[in-house]
């Protein structure tokens, strides 16, 4: 039994009974951690561009620390060199000088105030770093495959030794700031992983060669850190259990396991297992990868080392890590994205409030934003990175309590409804359907994991019920109903309209709506044209292609999936190719005849395509009811796809914002 | 519904050829401008070779995301040779790729190429065309070799501008 920093008793909580393995203590080095939950070090781009910690980051971390209910909460990885070659994100925290200690201490204090264990991560971004300078540093000058990353500069032996010393000095600063655990980041393409991988380390000196040579720098760092930390402060390392870089001659899985053994021998107290690099060409953490897919890696790691193994990577459902820990295939449940979507997720699991969790939908918008120098944003959680602004996260009661009519019980309407109701309004939500969820009822039937999108509706339903929102399902809102009810405010969240194409009368039966196709209510022939190349078009195209139909997409956007975030879009483009779906982008349908239409490209070329069915996926704003509401002089808001057809994220964020403003 | 396939294909074809011809014209206009800026003492061949060096390096960088070691070195090499050929095919050349007799050896054969015609049209020596092409090809390889940790080389065996009927290049693994 090691030192216990904060006493926690989980025995009274339902979650501890349901998931007993998650809420039992674990020894890591000289510490005993009360539970098996860790918030992983995650960049958020919230700090100042010269590396100083900001109020926004402190508030962000405080929320996550509250969420781990006594577990470990890591702050983001810090870069350690004044030259900023190790800086991979514009808002990354720095720690190359003592002047950064006071800011870092604020983070450690915030974590401790929530009775959680404070984790400090050392992260030189190496090959994917140098975001503010011309050259990145690494073991060898292997060219970049992705041009967004900087050219590489080969480190001399002296520079490697200096880098090792930077790790040691930074650790000393982290300890002075009050952190309890030190972690080395050696994953996804960052500097330490560059040394470890055969792909990026071509050195022939003592820092290169076989896996032992490539691990020398890691061993040197671990030994140096141990001298600073002493025997009691735990040291861990994040290491790839599989690099997934076979296409560029990366490490074999056996070599990766060797890195685990060498790290254990060098003295680390735990290993955090990961899979893949940013340059990997296979999906690792996106929604199309089933949850629990990577648990075999933690199991393999457990077979090779005796120290505790942590793992994140598509382990959203607490049952998965709980069972894996129970079977001895994992020791600690680590996560970042689920706690970006809901900072209190593990706390709610403990308290038996799983229906109150806003689940991550694994869209990777958070990553896409970080890579584009933008602050952290969550697709599904409008409060993310606003934690320092209480007026936004906990909006004050409305000065005047209003009777609010929300038209449409889709994600935009539901989000708006509970936020407005919490602020004291009397909220009535109407939908002509008998069920809530709007077009997400159909959209969540698209393949490659879109069923996970439905968790958003389940969360919103619970919030609406708790906030006292009154549902009027199966009720179509008309001008007469509005005139009769005369609410103080109307929010139109009706979803989009789907314009049809001009076709001869005989062709009309061959035009079907995307929603009818996804719900299975439409007859669809074998040869299908999907009109529209945004996400709804791609989703339905893949849905039909998987049924063995020949599908062609024609759309006006310059590229298919224009509205999908770049960190996920590439997956869809691959799936379109794999399912033999041809997409004609930047194109229009010029003319439609019996079973054949003419496509006109942006530069004027025309060619014919045959079809049995045309699926309409193009959307337009819904202007219906707007004039009626304005004519009655009622306060009006239009949100979600009714305002501008976009995606689930925009619907949720629109709904939240307007909910705070009514 | 009216659709004249022949008309559409002809339009496409003409525009493709016009775009291809413009690549050649643009290069030689740029070369003239570069020589005027460089002044009368500049050696035209040096200017051409410098441009070829930059073009080759850029093509090498562009090749990296398209190459994949997963199916082994032979497949990888075919894909590299095919990618090189494609750069000229899109400019209007007819290029074929064939495996050599030795392992890890490919031959890339240009049966028709518009570049000697452009050179002639702009009064540039045929040998400059050969040397610049060769320079481009040589400079594709450094980034590819560094990225995949291999050592491939390319050599020119025959050249259309030298009156040898085809351009023939040997892409091979250097075992030295």
């Amino acid at each position: 039994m090691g030192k216990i920093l904060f006493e926690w008793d989980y025995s009274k909580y339902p979650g501890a009974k349901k998931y007993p393995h998650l809420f039992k203590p674990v020894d890591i080095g000289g510490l005993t951690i009360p539970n098996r939950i860790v918030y992983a070090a995650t960049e958020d781009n919230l700090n100042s561009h010269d590396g100083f910690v900001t109020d926004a980051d402190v508030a962000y971390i405080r929320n996550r620390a509250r969420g781990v209910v006594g577990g470990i909460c890591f702050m983001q990885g810090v870069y350690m060199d004044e030259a900023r070659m190790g800086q991979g994100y514009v808002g990354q925290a720095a720690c190359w000088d003592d002047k950064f200690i006071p800011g870092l201490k604020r983070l450690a204090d915030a974590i401790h105030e929530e009775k959680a264990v404070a984790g400090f991560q050392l992260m030189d971004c190496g090959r994917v770093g140098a975001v503010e300078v011309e050259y990145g540093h690494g073991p060898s000058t292997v060219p970049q495959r992705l041009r967004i990353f900087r050219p590489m500069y080969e480190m001399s032996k002296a520079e490697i030794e200096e880098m090792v010393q930077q790790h040691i000095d930074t650790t000393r600063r982290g300890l002075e700031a009050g952190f309890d655990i030190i972690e080395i980041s050696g994953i996804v393409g960052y500097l330490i992983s560059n040394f470890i991988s055969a792909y990026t380390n071509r050195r022939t000196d003592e820092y290169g060669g076989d896996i032992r040579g490539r691990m020398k720098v890691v061993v040197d760092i671990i030994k140096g850190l141990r001298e600073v930390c002493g025997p009691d402060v735990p040291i861990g390392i994040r290491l790839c259990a599989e690099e997934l870089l076979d296409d560029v001659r990366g490490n074999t899985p056996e070599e990766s396991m060797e890195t685990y053994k060498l790290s254990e021998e060098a003295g680390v107290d735990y290993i955090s297992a990961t899979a893949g690099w940013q340059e990997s060409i296979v999906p690792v953490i996106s929604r199309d990868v089933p949850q629990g897919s990577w648990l075999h890696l933690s199991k393999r790691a457990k077979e090779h080392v005796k120290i505790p193994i942590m793992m994140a990577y598509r382990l959203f459902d607490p049952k998965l890590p709980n069972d894996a820990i129970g079977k001895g295939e994992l020791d600690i449940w680590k996560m970042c994205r689920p706690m970006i979507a809901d900072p209190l997720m593990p706390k709610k699991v403990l308290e038996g409030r799983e229906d109150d969790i806003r689940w991550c939908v694994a869209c990777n918008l958070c990553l896409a934003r970080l890579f584009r120098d933008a602050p952290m944003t969550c697709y599904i959680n409008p409060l993310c990175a606003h934690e320092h602004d209480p007026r936004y996260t906990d909006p004050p009661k409305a000065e005047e309590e209003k009777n609010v009519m929300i038209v449409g019980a889709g994600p935009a309407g539901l989000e708006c409804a509970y936020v407005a109701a919490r602020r004291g309004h009397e909220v009535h939500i109407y939908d002509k359907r008998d069920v809530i969820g709007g077009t997400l009822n159909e959209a969540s039937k698209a393949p490659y994991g879109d069923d996970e999108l439905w968790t958003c509706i389940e969360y919103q339903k619970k919030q609406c019920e708790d906030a006292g929102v009154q549902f009027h399902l199966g009720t179509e809102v008309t001008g007469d109903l509005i005139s009769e009810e005369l609410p103080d405010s109307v929010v139109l969240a009706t979803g989009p309209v789907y314009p049809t194409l001009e076709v001869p009368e005989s062709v009309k039966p061959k035009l079907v709506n995307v929603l009818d196709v996804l719900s299975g209510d439409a007859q669809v022939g074998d040869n299908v044209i999907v009109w529209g190349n945004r996400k709804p078009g791609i989703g339905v195209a893949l849905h039909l292609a998987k049924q063995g139909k020949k599908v062609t997409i024609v759309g006006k956007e310059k590229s298919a999936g224009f509205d999908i975030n770049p960190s996920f879009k590439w997956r869809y483009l691959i799936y379109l190719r794999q399912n033999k779906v041809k997409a004609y982008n930047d194109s229009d349908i010029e003319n439609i005849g019996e079973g054949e239409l003419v496509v006109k490209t942006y530069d004027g070329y025309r060619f014919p395509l045959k079809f049995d069915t045309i699926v309409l996926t193009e959307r337009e704003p819904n202007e219906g009811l707007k004039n009626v509401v304005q004519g009655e002089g009622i306060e009006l808001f239009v949100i979600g796809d009714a305002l501008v057809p976009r995606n689930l994220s925009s619907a949720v964020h629109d709904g939240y914002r307007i909910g705070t403003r009514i | 519904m009216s659709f004249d396939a022949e008309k559409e294909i002809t339009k496409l074809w003409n525009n493709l050829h016009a775009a291809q011809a413009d690549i050649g014209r643009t290069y030689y206009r740029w070369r003239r401008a570069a020589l005027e800026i460089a002044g009368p003492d500049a050696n035209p061949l040096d200017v051409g070779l410098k441009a070829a060096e930059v073009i080759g390096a850029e093509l090498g960088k562009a090749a990296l995301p398209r190459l994949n070691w997963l199916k082994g070195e032979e497949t990888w090499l075919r894909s590299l040779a095919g990618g090189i050929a494609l750069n000229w095919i899109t400019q209007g050349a007819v290029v074929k790729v064939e495996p050599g007799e030795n392992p890890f050896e490919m031959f890339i054969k240009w049966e028709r190429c518009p570049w000697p015609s452009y050179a002639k049209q702009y009064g540039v020596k045929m040998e400059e065309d050969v040397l610049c092409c060769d320079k481009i090809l040589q400079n594709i390889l450094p980034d590819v070799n560094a990225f995949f940790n291999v050592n491939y080389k390319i050599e020119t065996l025959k050249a259309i501008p030298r009156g040898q009927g085809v351009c023939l290049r040997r892409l091979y693994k250097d075992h030295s």
Side-chain angles (χ1 to χ4, degrees):
Chain A
M1 193 81 170
K3 182 180 168 191
I4 297 171
L5 295 178
F6 302 101
E7 293 286 349
W8 282 79
D9 178 9
Y10 303 121
S11 60
K12 290 179 192 156
Y13 291 97
K17 293 185 178 69
K18 187 175 178 187
Y19 304 111
H21 302 300
L22 295 181
F23 297 100
K24 67 182 181 189
V26 61
D27 287 341
I28 300 179
L31 285 185
T32 296
I33 313 294
N35 67 34
R36 306 298 184 101
I37 294 163
V38 176
Y39 176 65
T42 309
E43 290 309 316
D44 54 27
N45 265 350
L46 293 178
N47 294 308
S48 72
H49 286 206
D50 49 4
F52 287 96
V53 170
T54 61
D55 291 349
D57 193 39
V58 174
Y60 176 92
I61 282 294
R62 183 187 298 279
N63 264 261
R64 273 74 196 170
R66 192 173 301 150
V68 297
V69 280
I72 306 169
C73 179
F74 276 92
M75 69 162 288
Q76 63 186 261
V78 294
Y79 68 93
M80 299 163 275
D81 61 323
E82 186 178 3
R84 303 175 83 164
M85 286 187 178
Q87 183 187 4
Y89 304 88
V90 292
Q92 185 178 355
C95 190
W96 49 266
D97 190 272
D98 287 1
K99 68 183 179 183
F100 295 104
I101 295 175
L104 297 167
K105 184 172 186 307
R106 290 181 66 205
L107 289 171
D109 289 348
I111 296 169
H112 289 153
E113 282 161 19
E114 299 299 332
K115 292 172 67 184
V117 179
F120 185 68
Q121 195 191 63
L122 317 170
M123 188 173 85
D124 185 311
C125 293
R127 189 169 170 76
V128 294
V131 69
E132 300 275 31
V133 293
E134 293 296 311
Y135 284 87
H137 60 185
S140 309
T141 51
V142 177
Q144 298 282 6
R145 180 152 62 170
L146 304 174
R147 289 193 189 218
I148 56 165
F149 296 122
R150 305 286 190 209
M152 295 303 291
Y153 154 82
E154 182 171 317
M155 297 168 81
S156 66
K157 276 192 202 178
E159 285 164 335
I160 293 173
E161 285 161 11
E162 189 186 342
M163 179 267 289
V164 171
Q165 190 58 45
Q166 284 166 356
H167 278 73
I168 296 165
D169 295 343
T170 304
T171 297
R172 192 254 310 155
R173 293 183 191 113
L175 295 175
E176 278 183 33
F179 287 91
D180 311 305
I181 294 184
I182 306 296
E183 185 176 83
I184 304 157
S185 178
I187 56 168
V188 303
Y190 298 142
L191 184 64
I192 299 303
S193 64
N194 302 160
F195 272 91
I196 295 170
S197 180
Y199 161 46
T200 42
N201 186 343
R202 312 280 170 76
R203 299 181 79 94
T204 52
D205 61 10
E206 66 266 39
Y207 294 104
D210 65 7
I211 190 65
R212 279 192 172 267
R214 302 202 298 274
M215 277 291 287
K216 175 174 164 40
V217 79
V218 179
V219 172
D220 289 353
I221 289 172
I222 294 169
K223 288 183 174 166
L225 261 56
R226 183 55 73 199
E227 283 183 23
V228 179
C229 292
D232 295 332
V233 175
I235 300 170
I237 186 166
R238 294 197 92 181
L239 287 173
C240 288
E242 277 192 17
E243 289 183 339
L244 305 176
L245 289 174
D246 295 343
D247 60 314
V248 288
R249 313 180 73 183
N251 285 353
T252 62
E254 292 74 26
E255 284 178 311
S256 292
M257 284 302 103
E258 195 60 27
T259 66
Y260 279 49
K261 287 194 274 190
L262 291 168
S263 298
E264 184 180 38
E265 279 170 31
V268 293
D269 298 302
Y270 73 89
I271 294 174
S272 172
T274 67
W277 274 32
Q278 292 180 5
E279 294 177 58
S280 298
I281 58 169
V282 290
V284 179
I285 55 169
S286 44
R287 192 163 62 239
D288 48 332
V289 177
Q291 291 193 31
S293 290
W294 302 108
L295 275 169
H296 65 283
L297 296 180
S298 66
K299 186 182 174 202
R300 188 192 297 162
K302 291 280 294 170
E303 289 161 3
H304 285 80
V305 294
K306 293 186 179 64
I307 50 177
I309 295 292
M310 300 178 178
M311 196 168 80
Y313 284 58
R314 289 298 274 150
L315 289 180
F316 296 2
D317 180 349
K319 187 175 183 314
L320 291 166
N322 181 67
D323 292 355
I325 294 169
K327 287 189 277 184
E329 296 171 358
L330 178 73
D331 295 299
I332 296 160
W333 180 26
K334 203 170 194 178
M335 69 191 98
C336 61
R337 291 176 305 159
M339 288 183 70
I340 292 171
D342 191 334
L344 303 183
M345 189 267 230
K347 184 172 189 286
K348 291 175 181 176
V349 169
L350 175 68
E351 292 167 353
R353 297 193 290 133
E354 282 176 70
D355 57 352
D356 204 13
I357 292 172
R358 199 193 279 271
W359 294 100
C360 171
V361 294
C363 67
N364 292 351
L365 175 71
C366 44
L367 303 180
R369 293 269 299 171
L370 295 178
F371 293 149
R372 282 153 189 81
D373 303 342
M376 169 74 82
T377 301
C378 179
Y379 188 88
I380 208 78
N381 175 13
L383 309 184
C384 178
H386 289 277
E387 291 84 356
H388 60 293
D389 180 3
R391 287 197 315 165
Y392 189 76
T393 54
D394 188 15
K397 289 279 178 196
E399 286 175 11
E400 176 197 347
E401 289 180 14
K402 293 179 181 172
N403 187 320
V404 180
M405 171 187 269
I406 296 181
V407 188
L414 291 170
E415 186 76 19
C416 183
Y418 79 77
V419 177
R422 280 181 189 168
R423 292 181 51 238
H425 295 306
E426 181 183 324
V427 179
H428 296 261
I429 188 162
Y430 292 76
D431 203 298
K432 63 184 175 187
R433 297 179 187 231
D434 293 328
V435 291
I436 61 166
T439 55
L440 209 55
N441 279 287
E442 292 81 17
S444 59
K445 292 187 169 63
Y448 299 109
D450 279 4
D451 54 319
E452 287 189 35
L453 299 176
W454 188 254
T455 56
C456 169
I457 299 298
E458 287 169 347
Y459 169 80
Q460 291 173 326
K461 177 171 179 267
K462 165 83 169 126
Q463 306 311 309
C464 284
E465 286 167 356
D466 289 353
V469 173
Q470 295 177 53
F471 287 89
H472 303 270
L473 300 178
T475 307
E476 181 160 9
V477 174
T478 60
D480 288 345
L481 183 64
I482 293 172
S483 305
E484 200 178 301
E485 296 288 332
L486 273 186
D488 300 315
S489 293
V490 170
V491 179
L492 296 180
T494 48
V497 290
Y498 293 85
T500 190
L501 293 164
E502 278 188 26
V503 294
E505 200 60 36
S506 59
V507 179
K508 281 189 176 163
K510 294 183 175 180
L511 300 186
V512 294
N513 180 279
V514 55
L515 302 180
D516 294 333
V517 175
L518 286 167
S519 62
D521 293 338
Q523 291 285 329
V524 180
D526 288 335
N527 198 353
V528 188
I529 305 271
V530 171
W531 169 233
N533 58 350
R534 289 190 172 217
K535 173 64 177 68
I538 291 175
V540 76
L542 292 169
H543 173 79
L544 292 170
K546 288 207 154 292
Q547 295 170 15
K549 298 184 189 301
K550 179 177 182 292
V551 186
T552 307
I553 295 175
V554 181
K556 289 181 181 173
E557 299 298 346
K558 270 188 110 169
S559 65
F562 166 80
D563 54 337
I564 303 172
N565 85 67
S567 289
F568 206 103
K569 178 179 159 180
W570 68 281
R571 303 297 316 138
Y572 279 112
L573 299 184
I574 289 174
Y575 290 134
L576 288 176
R577 273 203 303 278
Q578 285 175 351
N579 287 281
K580 299 185 171 55
V581 176
K582 175 79 190 159
Y584 293 108
N585 305 313
D586 221 346
S587 298
D588 208 345
I589 291 179
E590 194 178 69
N591 152 358
I592 304 175
E594 286 292 339
E596 193 172 71
L597 55 76
V598 173
V599 175
K600 187 178 178 188
T601 64
Y602 76 99
D603 48 357
Y605 297 116
R606 297 158 75 245
F607 56 90
L609 289 176
K610 293 192 186 308
F611 67 88
D612 300 322
T613 305
I614 300 174
V615 182
L616 303 171
T617 74
E618 284 285 291
R619 300 168 296 167
E620 286 179 357
N622 193 340
E623 301 282 336
L625 297 174
K626 208 169 156 183
N627 291 339
V628 179
V629 179
Q630 284 173 331
E632 293 284 358
I634 300 170
E635 183 182 46
L636 170 70
F637 299 94
V638 186
I639 59 174
D641 285 356
L643 179 67
V644 180
R646 287 156 293 164
N647 53 26
L648 171 60
S649 179
S650 304
V652 172
H653 284 246
D654 275 10
Y656 185 86
R657 274 194 294 270
I658 296 304
T660 63
R661 281 173 49 191
I662 296 173
Chain B
M1 198 181 70
S2 66
F3 178 77
D4 183 343
E6 200 173 323
K7 186 178 151 200
E8 294 297 329
I9 290 168
T10 307
K11 197 161 70 175
L12 261 172
W13 203 241
N14 288 344
N15 287 357
L16 172 68
H17 288 166
Q20 286 176 334
D22 232 23
I23 297 172
R25 279 198 291 270
T26 302
Y27 171 75
Y28 280 104
R29 285 171 195 151
W30 169 85
R31 180 183 176 278
R32 197 166 68 200
L35 280 173
E36 282 174 16
I37 292 168
D41 296 336
N43 179 357
L45 180 60
D46 290 343
V47 172
L49 289 175
K50 185 65 199 170
E53 192 183 309
V54 174
I55 293 166
E58 281 292 308
L59 292 178
K61 284 189 203 318
L64 298 183
R66 292 168 179 79
L67 293 169
N68 186 325
W69 199 267
L70 274 179
K71 290 181 182 166
E73 189 166 356
E74 287 193 12
T75 309
W76 175 87
L77 177 58
R78 268 203 300 279
S79 161
L80 172 62
I84 290 172
L86 198 61
N87 284 311
W88 271 263
I89 291 169
T90 52
Q91 294 164 23
V94 176
V95 192
K96 288 181 180 159
V97 174
E98 289 162 6
E101 287 179 3
N102 303 314
F104 310 118
E105 178 186 64
M106 298 292 289
F107 286 97
I108 310 172
K109 190 161 74 178
W110 282 251
E111 294 181 346
R112 179 189 175 281
C113 183
W115 283 96
S117 307
Y118 299 139
K120 194 173 174 188
Q121 194 180 332
Y122 282 85
V124 174
K125 287 178 184 166
M126 286 294 111
E127 192 56 16
E128 180 176 325
D129 182 63
V130 180
L131 295 175
C132 286
C133 249
D134 194 60
K135 191 78 169 176
I136 290 172
L137 291 160
Q138 301 292 345
N139 279 280
I140 289 174
L141 293 177
D143 267 7
V144 173
N145 281 334
F147 189 80
F148 287 97
N149 206 11
V150 289
N151 190 16
Y152 276 84
K153 291 191 172 166
I154 192 163
E155 61 183 358
T156 299
L157 304 176
K158 291 182 184 176
I160 295 171
R162 287 179 182 155
Q164 293 167 307
V166 294
C167 292
L168 184 65
R169 265 100 187 188
R170 176 175 169 248
L171 175 66
Y172 63 99
K173 187 173 192 171
D174 184 10
H175 297 283
S176 59

